[in-house]
């Protein structure tokens, strides 16, 4: 676990240096700057999760175009809370399919709103393998999914950290 944290910190430092060089260059490459910011956010999130031990949250993003669906999977506790946020100026219609329990929920999200979508629960050894498909029929949307749960100690017989 410590080796992974050290590698993640090194990657973070590398991308920070690359971002600083990109800011200082005369060529204005916004796509590359956005990519670097995205990578930095992911690395920082991974560092915070790794430092705590077991993760207590997971997130995903659905951006259409180019994709009208995204698969989202993670290991979590028996009870999770899923929140959806429409980060676009248009209304988004979203379907959240929980493949773990076999149910689909449909939502209409007004612009720039956060919505406590659903609480999911299942009985079993933790960590539970949660799998979702987040899809949209909207022509243009940016929906963020966020799942959170309470910390747990793994008790699955086949689980190895």
């Amino acid at each position: 676990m410590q080796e992974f944290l050290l590698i993640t910190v090194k990657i973070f430092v590398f991308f920070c240096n690359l971002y600083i060089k990109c800011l200082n260059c005369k060529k204005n490459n916004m796509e590359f700057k956005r990519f670097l910011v995205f990578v930095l956010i992911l690395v920082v999130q991974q560092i915070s999760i790794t430092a705590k031990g077991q993760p207590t949250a997971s997130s995903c993003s659905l951006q259409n175009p180019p994709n009208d669906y995204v698969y989202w999977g993670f290991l979590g506790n028996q009870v999770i809370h899923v929140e959806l946020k429409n980060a676009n100026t248009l209304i988004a219609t979203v379907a959240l399919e929980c493949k773990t329990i076999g149910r689909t929920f449909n939502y209409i999200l007004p612009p720039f709103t956060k919505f406590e979508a659903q609480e999911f629960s299942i009985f079993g050894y933790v960590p539970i393998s949660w799998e979702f498909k987040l899809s949209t029929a909207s022509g243009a949307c940016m929906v963020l999914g966020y799942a959170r749960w309470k910390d747990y100690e793994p008790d699955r017989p086949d689980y190895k950290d």
Side-chain angles (χ1 to χ4, degrees), residues 60-113:
C60 76
S61 65
L62 169 63
Q63 186 173 355
N64 187 22
N67 302 319
D68 60 347
Y69 68 92
V70 64
Y71 287 104
W72 179 23
F74 52 87
L75 296 175
N77 207 341
Q78 293 175 344
V79 178
I80 62 167
H81 303 275
V82 176
E83 185 177 278
L84 298 175
K85 180 179 180 183
N86 184 1
N88 199 352
T89 57
L90 303 172
I91 293 174
T93 57
V94 177
L96 179 66
E97 178 184 355
C98 180
K99 295 187 175 288
T100 305
I101 63 172
R103 295 208 42 209
T104 302
F105 300 90
N106 296 305
Y107 303 98
I108 298 175
L109 304 174
F112 299 111
T113 57

Side-chain angles (χ1 to χ4, degrees), residues 84-148:
L84 298 175
K85 180 179 180 183
N86 184 1
N88 199 352
T89 57
L90 303 172
I91 293 174
T93 57
V94 177
L96 179 66
E97 178 184 355
C98 180
K99 295 187 175 288
T100 305
I101 63 172
R103 295 208 42 209
T104 302
F105 300 90
N106 296 305
Y107 303 98
I108 298 175
L109 304 174
F112 299 111
T113 57
K114 195 185 309 185
F115 184 72
E116 181 77 30
Q118 195 68 33
E119 177 180 282
F120 295 93
S121 63
I122 190 169
F123 184 74
Y125 290 113
V126 291
I128 304 288
S129 177
W130 291 98
E131 295 179 12
F132 293 93
K133 180 181 178 185
L134 187 62
S135 59
T136 183
S138 300
C141 79
M142 176 66 165
V143 176
L144 308 173
Y146 184 73
R148 59 185 164 75

Side-chain angles (χ1 to χ4, degrees), residues 54-56 75-77 126-128 149-155 159:
Q54 297 296 330
T56 58
L75 296 175
N77 207 341
V126 291
I128 304 288
W149 56 90
K150 293 188 188 262
D151 198 13
Y152 61 88
E153 288 295 322
D155 62 2
Y159 179 74

